[in-house]
Amino acid sequence: MSQRAANSIKRILPKAKSSVVGQLDIYPAKVRFASQNPGEKIFILVRRHVFTNIGWLLRAGVIFILPIITVIAIDVIGNMSPELFPDGVNFRKLMPDTLWVILGLIYYTSLVTYVFAKFLDWYFDIYLVTSERFLHMEFKILTGKFVSEAPLSNIQDVKQRVVGLFPAIFNYGDVIVTTAAERGKFSFEHVPDPTWFRDVITDLAKLVEHSEP
Amino acid sequence: MNDVQIEMTFIFAIAKIAAIVYLMLHLFAVLVITRQVMVAGRVIKTALRGSVMLFALLHAIILFGLLIYTVFANPLV
């Protein structure tokens, strides 16, 4: 990379930045990927905006407190109807203790597995912008991995799309890159700050285009 | 043993078998997840990769422990 190109990149991406929740890293320090070429630098690592996880987080929260609420609700109903439950409702008498322990452990380990799988689905769904190309690496927990890439020099058009209430509030959206390659379109989905991201992609594409002989 | 006790024993035995089958499938799914984490960790090296791998392994070990406990537990106690 020439000094002029390095200076231009410094203008486009002035300094390293890392978001607390890991959704956007500029010049990520400890990141490498298997097909990285010698001298290829990673400029940006981006994941879907962290707010896109709110659905499964809420579900997990409800699943977590559901048994507690059920026990309390049945207890309250039992106390409200002493003619139906003269001795109250004693859960421990319904099943032996061993079965309660096994049931509880199965329930909460299943919840942990669900949360872990959803987290991995987000954490390993990565977009990378390097000095040569952009890549999308996606790992589906049970079906395998998908990797797609396109060179920066192939970019013809970059669009951004912010649709919906939450994307507008939390400033995330899609950035769609049209390339000259056969595949045609490359979509960065739910990335944070799509305006900034679109601008950076456009500038990098211009830089690559102008630096090529 | 009266009829009710025999019936309860039968129900708890079925419940125990169901729990074992479920835990085996669950453990299998977690092992698949662990393998995927290893594959992902080889393809893209990120800061949290080690911690995520460790957690996946730990979770699989805990599930295996729970499976063993379920196999040997007496559901009537």
Side-chain angles (χ1 to χ4, degrees), chain A residues 30-35 42 45 47 94-99 101-102 105-106 108-113 116-117 119-120 123-124 126 128 137 139-145 147, chain B residues 8 12 15-16 19-20 22-23 26 29-30 32-34 36-37 39-49 52-53 55-56 59 62-63 66 69-70 73-77:
Chain A
K30 293 177 182 172
V31 177
R32 282 174 288 129
F33 59 97
S35 59
I42 300 173
L45 178 149
R47 296 185 177 90
L94 293 176
M95 280 197 301
D97 287 351
T98 316
L99 274 184
V101 170
I102 291 172
L105 286 173
I106 286 176
Y108 282 106
T109 50
S110 302
L111 178 63
V112 170
T113 305
F116 188 51
F119 169 76
L120 290 177
Y123 188 74
F124 284 117
I126 291 171
L128 290 175
M137 297 178 179
F139 289 86
K140 291 284 176 196
I141 291 303
L142 296 175
T143 51
K145 63 173 179 180
V147 182
Chain B
M8 290 306 279
F12 289 147
K16 181 175 167 172
I20 290 169
Y22 175 81
L23 276 172
H26 191 175
V30 170
V32 171
I33 290 173
T34 309
Q36 277 295 86
V37 170
V39 171
R42 273 201 300 273
V43 174
I44 174 96
K45 292 175 171 56
T46 55
L48 273 183
R49 183 179 64 117
V52 169
M53 280 181 183
F55 184 86
H59 189 48
I62 286 170
L63 267 180
L66 179 57
Y69 175 68
T70 310
N74 182 356
L76 295 174
V77 180

Side-chain angles (χ1 to χ4, degrees), chain A residues 52-61 114-116 118-119 122:
Chain A
T52 57
N53 295 320
I54 197 75
W56 66 261
L57 277 172
L58 283 176
R59 270 197 297 279
Y114 172 73
V115 170
F116 188 51
K118 286 289 183 185
F119 169 76
W122 173 77

Side-chain angles (χ1 to χ4, degrees), chain A:
Chain A
M1 192 185 291
S2 68
Q3 187 58 42
R4 197 172 147 218
N7 288 340
S8 302
I9 288 166
K10 274 283 168 204
R11 271 203 306 277
I12 299 167
L13 297 165
K15 58 181 179 182
K17 186 180 149 191
S18 182
S19 64
V20 180
V21 285
Q23 61 189 2
L24 177 70
D25 276 3
I26 301 169
Y27 301 121
K30 293 177 182 172
V31 177
R32 282 174 288 129
F33 59 97
S35 59
Q36 192 167 356
N37 295 326
E40 184 177 9
K41 284 183 181 167
I42 300 173
F43 291 149
I44 303 171
L45 178 149
V46 67
R47 296 185 177 90
R48 278 177 287 146
H49 192 280
V50 74
F51 188 79
T52 57
N53 295 320
I54 197 75
W56 66 261
L57 277 172
L58 283 176
R59 270 197 297 279
V62 169
I63 293 169
F64 182 80
I65 58 169
L66 198 63
I68 301 161
I69 288 176
T70 309
V71 168
I72 292 169
I74 292 175
D75 204 32
V76 167
I77 291 167
N79 288 337
M80 281 163 65
S81 319
E83 65 280 0
L84 285 175
F85 306 99
D87 302 326
V89 183
N90 191 346
F91 279 94
R92 286 191 66 176
K93 282 184 183 168
L94 293 176
M95 280 197 301
D97 287 351
T98 316
L99 274 184
W100 275 120
V101 170
I102 291 172
L103 197 68
L105 286 173
I106 286 176
Y107 185 85
Y108 282 106
T109 50
S110 302
L111 178 63
V112 170
T113 305
Y114 172 73
V115 170
F116 188 51
K118 286 289 183 185
F119 169 76
L120 290 177
D121 193 34
W122 173 77
Y123 188 74
F124 284 117
D125 189 358
I126 291 171
Y127 297 100
L128 290 175
V129 180
T130 75
S131 52
E132 297 173 13
R133 53 190 160 161
F134 40 86
L135 298 104
H136 179 205
M137 297 178 179
E138 189 179 11
F139 289 86
K140 291 284 176 196
I141 291 303
L142 296 175
T143 51
K145 63 173 179 180
F146 303 91
V147 182
S148 53
E149 65 171 70
L152 280 170
S153 56
N154 257 358
I155 293 174
Q156 290 185 328
D157 181 36
V158 187
K159 287 178 190 160
Q160 82 178 73
R161 189 173 57 194
V162 180
V163 181
L165 180 66
F166 291 122
I169 293 171
F170 293 99
N171 191 23
Y172 67 90
D174 302 344
V175 173
I176 301 138
V177 179
T178 310
T179 66
E182 200 177 301
R183 194 166 164 264
K185 279 186 180 168
F186 196 100
S187 184
F188 295 85
E189 287 173 7
H190 308 306
V191 291
D193 203 350
T195 308
W196 170 84
F197 195 72
R198 177 182 50 77
D199 188 44
V200 167
I201 294 279
T202 310
D203 290 348
L204 285 175
K206 269 185 205 161
L207 186 70
V208 169
E209 195 182 312
H210 288 209
S211 63
E212 277 189 352

